Amino acid sequence: MDVVRAVPLLTVTDLDGTLDKYVQVTGMEVVMNHGWIATLAPAGDSSAQLSLITADPTGPMNPSASVEVDDVDAAYRAAMDAGLEIVYEISNEEWGVRRFFFRDSGGNVVNVLGHL
């Protein structure tokens, strides 16, 4: 299993207004916007990304980071083997990802996903 990318997630109340400020201050551009989550990246460089989220539509809470992997089922098995608390069971989402959430010992919730 390989990591494709890792992205911090910041919870916000006003997605559009916050996006505008981040674009203005950082010069990044919006590379994805689902209306409840949006991702920013420097123009032409997707290696550095930041996502802003209002409320996850299917998960029980907003995660603080997303880690995209090439084999989400292997990651899920590894999380189970490690004894991590699974707070959102592995699921296929309508926006084209398969994912699960785990909580680490510090209370951080991480969204582990792969694209379908």
Side-chain angles (χ1 to χ4, degrees), residues 21-41:
K21 299 290 189 238
Y22 272 77
V23 168
Q24 181 180 359
V25 170
T26 67
M28 291 191 288
E29 60 185 27
V30 178
V31 295
M32 185 267 309
N33 188 340
H34 286 300
W36 56 272
I37 187 171
T39 300
L40 297 150

Side-chain angles (χ1 to χ4, degrees), residues 5-74:
R5 67 184 171 131
V7 180
L9 289 160
L10 302 177
T11 296
V12 301
T13 55
D14 174 11
L15 185 61
D16 291 332
T18 305
L19 273 173
D20 289 344
K21 299 290 189 238
Y22 272 77
V23 168
Q24 181 180 359
V25 170
T26 67
M28 291 191 288
E29 60 185 27
V30 178
V31 295
M32 185 267 309
N33 188 340
H34 286 300
W36 56 272
I37 187 171
T39 300
L40 297 150
D45 179 11
S46 64
S47 65
Q49 295 185 348
L50 174 68
S51 289
L52 306 175
I53 183 171
T54 55
D56 192 289
T58 58
M61 74 276 296
N62 287 347
S64 56
S66 286
V67 178
E68 182 181 350
V69 295
D70 65 351
D71 188 342
V72 71
D73 291 293

Side-chain angles (χ1 to χ4, degrees), residues 52-97:
L52 306 175
I53 183 171
T54 55
D56 192 289
T58 58
M61 74 276 296
N62 287 347
S64 56
S66 286
V67 178
E68 182 181 350
V69 295
D70 65 351
D71 188 342
V72 71
D73 291 293
Y76 180 78
R77 288 189 300 275
M80 296 293 287
D81 291 346
L84 290 168
E85 177 188 0
I86 305 299
V87 295
Y88 183 64
E89 287 295 327
I90 195 160
S91 303
N92 293 339
E93 304 292 5
E94 66 182 31
W95 55 91
V97 300

